[in-house]
Amino acid sequence: MFKTKQADNEIHEDQLLNFLVNTLSDEIDLDLGDNAEIDAEEIYEVLVGACADGTSVSTLCGSSENSPPANTILYHLRTKFEPERLERVANTLLRRDIVELLPEQVEVCADLHLRPYYGDEDDTDGLYHSEAKRGTTAFHAYATLYARVKNKRHTLAVRRLEDGDTASSVLAEFLGVLDGLDTEVKAVYLDRGFYDSKCLTLLQAHNYAYVMPIIRWGKAIQQELSEGWSRVIDHDLTGKLDGHSWTVEFPVYIDCTYLNGRYDEHGVARHGYAADAPFIDTPRQARYHYTKRFGIESSYRLSEQAIATTTTRNSTVRLLYVVVSLLLQNAWRYLHYEYVATPRRGGRRLWWWPYKEFVNMVRRAAWTALAVRRAVPANRPPDDRFHR
């Protein structure tokens, strides 16, 4: 029987690790000094290994024979990275190869991700405070910008949040990133955290199509969302800044569906979306297109599978771990499409290579490079039960 051959070449585990280490080395220049006992590649090797292994740098170094001391690596991670510079370099790093995969027109999504902080309540400087979630109001918070291409999410930018940061300031930075891309933005999908007058004004000023759920602020919109059937209404929000006020007007698409016992509830569920896009004419279309945004949540689930653990309060080190975790996802998607997929007429054929397998390959390569312990001392010889 005829069988299609997938490829003539192979990418081995150690080459995947080399690719990631070289990517970090090319974009992040560490000035370790002439008398440093280690080089930058050794630091990146441990960093990538810890993220792929889902463990801490100390644990990985403690179980390895060829790795530098954990305290040495952690010292350089804490002292050689400046937060502002790291964010700039990180965004360049994340977009380095992935922009090659972007088509002429893309949909982008922005979201806020909150990682709970359960430490001392009096020591929350540099953290982001929000509504109570998972037993705390203090979080290590990050905003991320993704490009959505054929239901695959490519990270374009990440930003750390702290008290004082606003949704509009984050969106302004992200829109600046989009303005610098060579590709056209079809639409911007935002979560309800970006629903305010300043964000809507920014979107209209940059002339981007957008979809986001509304928040029931005011009696007028509450009344609209409590009666009637699917429809489109005109709504407005008033904003204030430095003593000046303005009003931004936008359409709201109200989509209604019957619950039919879902979540043990009955009746009509009404969903409101602030949307201004040429391809949206009905409330059902607004809801359909907005559901595309929920795909980005899986990127956070993937990041939880491959991120170094830590108890440090150092925000720069934590941001670095998040960046490397997102880099692993971008690298996997890039390598999957550019090297593993088979070129053919009508589009490339993506062969089976799940993210979990990619992470496992990087983990094994790091274990081999660092000579991770594969045996433990025993105070008595193994008996017959240890042989077969």
Side-chain angles (χ1 to χ4, degrees), residues 15-283:
Q15 294 173 317
L16 293 178
L17 180 62
N18 293 340
F19 178 86
L20 293 166
V21 171
N22 290 336
T23 300
L24 289 168
S25 299
D26 292 343
E27 296 296 337
I28 304 179
D29 183 22
L30 287 184
D31 184 13
L32 300 180
D34 297 333
N35 298 325
E37 299 178 355
I38 61 175
D39 56 34
E41 291 188 356
E42 291 179 296
I43 295 177
Y44 295 141
E45 196 171 58
V46 173
L47 184 59
V48 171
C51 286
D53 197 26
T55 187
S56 66
V57 170
S58 298
T59 300
L60 182 61
C61 292
S63 60
S64 305
E65 296 180 2
N66 293 344
S67 70
N71 289 338
T72 302
I73 293 180
L74 293 173
Y75 168 78
H76 288 299
L77 294 182
R78 289 191 298 264
T79 59
K80 301 301 181 181
F81 294 94
E82 298 177 358
E84 293 77 11
R85 175 175 173 269
L86 177 59
E87 285 188 3
R88 293 194 303 269
V89 174
N91 294 336
T92 303
L93 179 69
L94 292 172
R95 295 194 296 269
R96 170 174 165 160
D97 296 314
I98 215 67
V99 292
E100 300 178 15
L101 307 184
L102 300 182
E104 294 182 357
Q105 188 180 70
V106 297
E107 297 173 312
V108 297
C109 314
D111 201 8
L112 306 178
H113 179 51
L114 307 180
R115 302 176 67 91
Y117 169 76
Y118 298 109
D120 189 353
E121 296 181 356
D122 297 327
D123 186 21
T124 58
D125 292 340
L127 298 181
Y128 183 79
H129 288 80
S130 182
E131 296 180 358
K133 180 180 179 181
R134 295 169 64 180
T136 182
T137 58
F139 303 90
H140 297 282
Y142 307 94
T144 45
L145 179 69
Y146 296 89
R148 181 184 177 276
V149 182
K150 295 182 179 179
N151 205 31
K152 297 177 178 62
R153 292 148 299 277
H154 310 290
T155 307
L156 301 177
V158 61
R159 185 183 187 279
R160 186 180 69 87
L161 303 179
E162 58 184 8
D163 284 341
D165 289 325
T166 62
S168 58
S169 64
V170 173
L171 182 60
E173 290 188 21
F174 285 169
L175 293 180
V177 172
L178 297 181
D179 290 341
L181 296 179
D182 294 331
T183 185
E184 179 185 354
V185 177
K186 179 181 179 181
V188 181
Y189 300 102
L190 305 168
D191 70 5
R192 66 182 66 251
F194 292 93
Y195 178 71
D196 61 37
S197 58
K198 296 177 183 178
C199 290
L200 289 165
T201 302
L202 281 170
L203 290 167
Q204 294 180 2
H206 285 261
N207 197 28
Y208 282 127
Y210 62 87
V211 185
M212 74 177 80
I214 66 172
I215 300 176
R216 304 188 181 199
W217 287 333
K219 294 182 179 180
I221 196 64
Q222 291 177 9
Q223 183 69 23
E224 292 284 357
L225 291 175
S226 64
E227 61 185 15
W229 196 244
S230 298
R231 61 197 185 278
V232 182
I233 64 173
D234 292 325
H235 191 54
D236 61 73
L237 289 177
T238 300
K240 295 182 180 180
L241 181 65
D242 297 332
H244 301 281
S245 62
W246 73 96
T247 300
V248 56
E249 299 178 349
F250 53 93
V252 172
Y253 292 75
I254 301 177
D255 181 63
C256 303
T257 58
Y258 287 111
L259 289 170
N260 292 328
R262 190 179 185 185
Y263 307 120
D264 294 327
E265 296 182 1
H266 296 272
V268 178
R270 296 178 177 86
H271 308 275
Y273 301 93
D276 188 2
F279 51 85
I280 294 179
D281 298 317
T282 65

Side-chain angles (χ1 to χ4, degrees), residues 63 373-380 382 386:
S63 60
R373 183 175 61 191
R374 303 297 178 92
V376 295
N379 57 16
R380 55 183 295 184
F386 292 85

Side-chain angles (χ1 to χ4, degrees), residues 1-16:
M1 181 181 295
F2 177 77
K3 184 177 180 180
T4 303
K5 187 175 181 180
Q6 180 172 345
D8 297 325
N9 302 292
E10 295 178 333
I11 298 179
H12 296 275
E13 297 173 347
D14 59 319
Q15 294 173 317
L16 293 178

